[in-house]
Amino acid sequence: MAETAAAVGRFKANYAVERKIEPFYKGGKAQLDQTGQFLFCVCGTKVNILDVASGSLLRSLEQEDQEDITTFDLSPDDEVLVTASRALLLAQWNWRNGSVTRLWKAIHTAPVAALAFDPTSTLLATGGCDGGIRVWDIVRHYGTHHLRGSTGVVHLVAFHPDPARLLLFSSATDGAIRVWSLQDRSCLNVLTAHYSAVTSLSFSADGSTMLSSGRDKICMVWDLQSFQATRTVTVFESVEAAVLLPEEPAPALGVKNSGLHFLTAGDQGVLRVWEAASGQCVYTQPQLPCPGQELTHCTLARTADLLLSVTADHNLLLYEAHSLQLQKQFAGYSEEVLDVRFLGPEDSYIVVASNSPCLKVFELQTSTCQILHGHTDIVLALDVFRKGWLFASCAKDQSIRIWRMSRAGQVTCVAQGSGHTHSVGTICCSRLKESFLVTGSQDCTVKLWPLPETLLSKNKAVDTEPIVVQAQTTQRCHDKDINSVAVSPNDKLLATGSQDRTAKLWALPQCQLLGVFSGHRRGLWNVQFSPMDQVLATASADGTIKLWSLQDFSCLKTFEGHDASVLKVAFVSRGSQLLSSGSDGLLKLWTIKSNECVRTLDAHEDKVWGLHCSRLDNYALTGGSDSRVILWKDVTEAELAEEQAKREEQVVKQQELNNLLHEKRYLRALGLAISLDHPHTVLTIIQAIRRDPEASEKLEDTVLRLRRDQKEALLRFCVTWNTNSRHCHEAQAVLGVLLRHEAPEELLAYEGVRAAVEALLPYTERHFQRLSRTLQAATFLDFLWHNMKLSPLPAIPPTL
């Protein structure tokens, strides 16, 4: 018996979601508070607030209308946040506790495209898609201005930094900048220099100069006394944001004097610093060899001395403003997650490949994100070497890259190689030691890449250029795309799975064919060797998983349960169970010996492409098309321990209940029986109380001293008892106590009271009718008895 229990204990029974990494920014505005502690960004119907230090999501603000947020703005004093939705509603938030303090209609006839606070945090300007501009007093809650005259969508509004001047600047799709006097309620001036959309307005600290940028590849410097352009700077890129820098030297950025300098962010994907007087670029950020890095947004938090820039693929980067040293990286949106892996010797990091050329590395404990650049097209697959410091990636750019993580958690590319003629869709590392890689491609070939000794040397400098690795063996393996490759635990065998519905076994390192596994009706997505047995698992688009013998290539078992393609499979519990993920968004846990699916896990909303298990086999990691990365914890032992503790507690309580019944301590016994959910024992106790000569008083006293949740449970039991004529008297006695002594409003507050009353009524009426008939019969019997005339008995003669 003990051996059986130990065997069962080795099997997993359940996983629970430990944490999720979900999208928090899907494009649009992003803003820092003045202290640089909090990051605000739009994500569909919500504005998410992140803690910059930890990278964790503190709060999500969502309006009641649950419509998409079009824009938002945080007041200069960091106290008030206002959001605008597509439903033409404006919401004013106390963002620190997540409550709405005011909700009002924007009055625009089309959604609000721009919001801006004045320097005193009391006025709010809204620019609408209807071409109108409105100004609101958010302290006294009324509209102060309605400014008309703009052509097209007003996508930019900004107050003059000097509150005494009462000027509002706006720009619409006509490319003109309008200057509005709030005092006169009129347009003072129209600044026409840009011939395409103006993307940003920035003001100097003294308020005498304004900088405007546009997609026409120029930046304009304006004198705000005369409203004339003083300088035109050609920046040779479409500029999405330009920021005036503090007028003080910053040698790291090429700013050697205190003149006017500004920073631009645009479609070239780099930050550049310009001297306004000469129009010369004095600093250019090093170019990252990666597409999708076009900058869409840039803002400066002057108090915190931090610069926030946003890339086209929704990465948010925080720089130290005086040196542009990268401080933090956040991956706002990963689109479709294609593969995931644990990293580090203790699996304390994870690496994510999404629909992007960049890789994201997260530290699980602190949520710190690191974005890795190197590939020039979408990364398709990942794998990690045994020790966890080295990992490899392959991509649509037909190349592979090998990355090394330092003890401090910093990841650098240490090697790269190319040779395939099509996308490299799968990669697998050697299992025994860090000696080679195997890749499979759409060109129907696999390549074996030995790792050079210099790569494994601990003396290799971190900042050196990546080593170029060459393929040692190339073998054409299938007639269609190769979707998966796997190396056996002893590094001597290679398995390949293809779209041609077959898996094949090869001898390494020469890639000699040993056998073919045929039987699936559709293409194979994944192949995996068992860590313990001479067995291969294959996952197919036909919705099944098959186990194959490596000895005779026969099919040993077939697992059916997924409603769509099975995309990944992994051995767990020392090879005695399988964990699979599919296109149906489900994970399934299978016990191999019984062919049984013991658990189905549902947390993804779309295809689950990535699946990886930790070294200690206590965690699983999944990533899917729903942009979610989920960490699962094996809770089998915890649930078994909890169940055992519950059983032990039940035994102790049952013994205590027996003792209480023996001692006739009915109140304690009744409460304990209710907590144990023993309706029959509760009925027995009530029957025992009613047998007492002073039953009525004792029953009332016992029932009324119960807690409310116990009374609710007792009412549920009464519903059941009342259906039986033998036990209805106990049910009616309890109901009588509750109805006589509980206030109606208290009874109506009971959980499930309405359903209980509906169930009690028909049976109570039936019992009442039965008792009425019995009473009538008894009355008739009594009447007969009293009216029966018995003949007088003959007199007995007296005896002499």
Side-chain angles (χ1 to χ4, degrees), residues 156-158 169-171 177-178 198-203 210-213 222 242:
L156 204 56
V157 287
F169 297 80
S170 71
S171 182
I177 302 168
R178 286 175 170 79
V198 176
T199 53
S200 69
L201 298 174
S202 180
F203 300 90
M210 180 179 75
L211 175 73
S212 64
S213 65
W222 303 87

Side-chain angles (χ1 to χ4, degrees), residues 53-119:
S54 66
S56 58
L57 181 65
L58 293 180
R59 190 170 286 110
S60 291
L61 309 179
E62 185 174 19
Q63 292 186 192
E64 291 179 5
D65 52 42
Q66 295 186 336
E67 292 282 346
D68 283 351
I69 301 294
T70 54
T71 186
F72 73 92
D73 198 41
L74 180 67
S75 61
D77 61 5
D78 291 340
E79 292 302 319
V80 179
L81 182 80
V82 174
T83 58
S85 75
R86 287 195 180 277
L88 307 183
L89 285 178
L90 296 171
Q92 182 177 323
W93 298 83
N94 180 344
W95 60 270
R96 297 182 193 277
N97 62 20
S99 62
V100 176
T101 56
R102 186 186 170 215
L103 190 69
W104 76 101
K105 290 183 179 179
I107 309 181
H108 291 276
T109 58
V112 173
L115 287 175
F117 276 95
D118 81 322

Side-chain angles (χ1 to χ4, degrees), residues 656-666 668-669 672:
E656 185 184 354
L657 179 61
N658 294 337
N659 296 339
L660 290 170
L661 289 173
H662 181 72
E663 297 167 8
K664 297 186 178 180
R665 295 167 62 186
Y666 294 126
R668 287 286 305 280
L672 193 55

Side-chain angles (χ1 to χ4, degrees), residues 267-299:
D267 61 5
Q268 291 186 9
V270 294
L271 298 172
R272 295 193 288 174
V273 178
W274 303 79
E275 185 180 40
S278 64
Q280 297 296 313
C281 178
V282 295
Y283 174 82
T284 301
Q285 194 181 30
Q287 177 77 44
L288 293 169
C290 187
Q293 294 304 299
E294 299 86 357
L295 298 176
T296 60
H297 191 71
C298 186
T299 183

Side-chain angles (χ1 to χ4, degrees), residues 100-393:
V100 176
T101 56
R102 186 186 170 215
L103 190 69
W104 76 101
K105 290 183 179 179
I107 309 181
H108 291 276
T109 58
V112 173
L115 287 175
F117 276 95
D118 81 322
T120 65
S121 302
T122 59
L123 294 179
L124 175 74
T126 60
C129 294
D130 56 2
I133 300 167
R134 291 183 179 271
V135 181
W136 309 84
D137 187 321
I138 64 164
V139 177
R140 288 176 285 187
H141 303 164
Y142 69 96
T144 62
H145 297 75
H146 182 196
L147 308 173
R148 287 170 289 189
S150 301
T151 305
V153 176
V154 179
H155 59 265
L156 204 56
V157 287
F159 282 94
H160 191 279
D162 182 1
R165 294 192 66 176
L166 286 175
L167 295 179
L168 178 68
F169 297 80
S170 71
S171 182
T173 49
D174 58 359
I177 302 168
R178 286 175 170 79
V179 186
W180 306 88
S181 170
L182 299 184
Q183 197 165 10
D184 300 336
R185 300 173 182 269
S186 63
C187 181
L188 283 183
N189 217 319
V190 180
L191 311 181
T192 54
H194 292 279
Y195 53 87
S196 71
V198 176
T199 53
S200 69
L201 298 174
S202 180
F203 300 90
S204 61
D206 60 5
S208 62
T209 305
M210 180 179 75
L211 175 73
S212 64
S213 65
R215 296 196 178 103
D216 51 7
K217 303 186 179 182
I218 62 170
C219 289
M220 301 295 301
V221 181
W222 303 87
D223 181 354
L224 293 185
Q225 297 298 327
S226 62
F227 296 111
Q228 297 295 317
T230 59
R231 186 78 189 177
T232 301
V233 180
T234 306
V235 295
F236 307 106
E237 69 170 327
S238 178
V239 181
E240 293 298 325
V243 178
L244 278 170
L245 297 175
E247 296 186 30
E248 54 189 50
L253 302 180
V255 180
K256 299 177 181 177
N257 55 57
S258 58
L260 199 65
H261 291 77
F262 62 91
L263 180 142
T264 59
D267 61 5
Q268 291 186 9
V270 294
L271 298 172
R272 295 193 288 174
V273 178
W274 303 79
E275 185 180 40
S278 64
Q280 297 296 313
C281 178
V282 295
Y283 174 82
T284 301
Q285 194 181 30
Q287 177 77 44
L288 293 169
C290 187
Q293 294 304 299
E294 299 86 357
L295 298 176
T296 60
H297 191 71
C298 186
T299 183
L300 178 66
R302 294 182 185 274
T303 307
D305 197 34
L306 286 174
L307 185 82
L308 170 68
S309 71
V310 182
T311 67
D313 55 2
H314 308 108
N315 296 325
L316 298 98
L317 311 174
L318 274 180
Y319 297 94
E320 198 275 319
H322 279 83
S323 62
L324 289 189
Q325 290 292 318
L326 187 61
Q327 301 291 309
K328 287 275 183 179
Q329 301 177 79
F330 302 98
Y333 183 48
S334 294
E335 294 189 38
E336 192 170 7
V337 177
L338 301 179
D339 209 354
V340 288
R341 286 291 186 276
F342 284 103
L343 277 186
E346 297 177 354
D347 293 333
S348 53
Y349 293 81
I350 62 171
V351 57
V352 178
S354 59
N355 204 17
S356 163
C358 302
L359 293 171
K360 285 114 181 173
V361 175
F362 296 91
E363 185 178 4
L364 288 174
Q365 190 172 3
T366 64
S367 299
T368 303
C369 176
Q370 202 177 149
I371 299 168
L372 309 180
H373 304 279
H375 286 287
T376 57
D377 208 339
I378 294 172
V379 178
L380 297 174
L382 302 163
D383 201 20
V384 183
F385 285 97
R386 185 172 62 91
K387 293 182 180 178
W389 296 112
L390 276 180
F391 68 97
S393 60

Side-chain angles (χ1 to χ4, degrees), residues 34 116 172 180 192 215 221 223 253 383 386 390 403 456 467 498 534 569 618 625 643 662 742 748 764 785:
Q34 292 301 318
W180 306 88
T192 54
R215 296 196 178 103
V221 181
D223 181 354
L253 302 180
D383 201 20
R386 185 172 62 91
L390 276 180
W403 311 79
L456 305 175
I467 298 170
S498 168
Q534 297 290 307
V569 64
N618 55 345
S625 297
E643 190 178 333
H662 181 72
E742 291 283 289
L748 287 171
T764 301
W785 169 256

Side-chain angles (χ1 to χ4, degrees), residues 1 27 148 223 236 250 267 380 452 496 504 506 700 717 720 729 736 739:
M1 183 71 180
R148 287 170 289 189
D223 181 354
F236 307 106
D267 61 5
L380 297 174
T496 59
K504 294 183 179 182
W506 310 81
E700 283 186 9
F717 297 160
T720 306
H729 302 288
L739 291 171

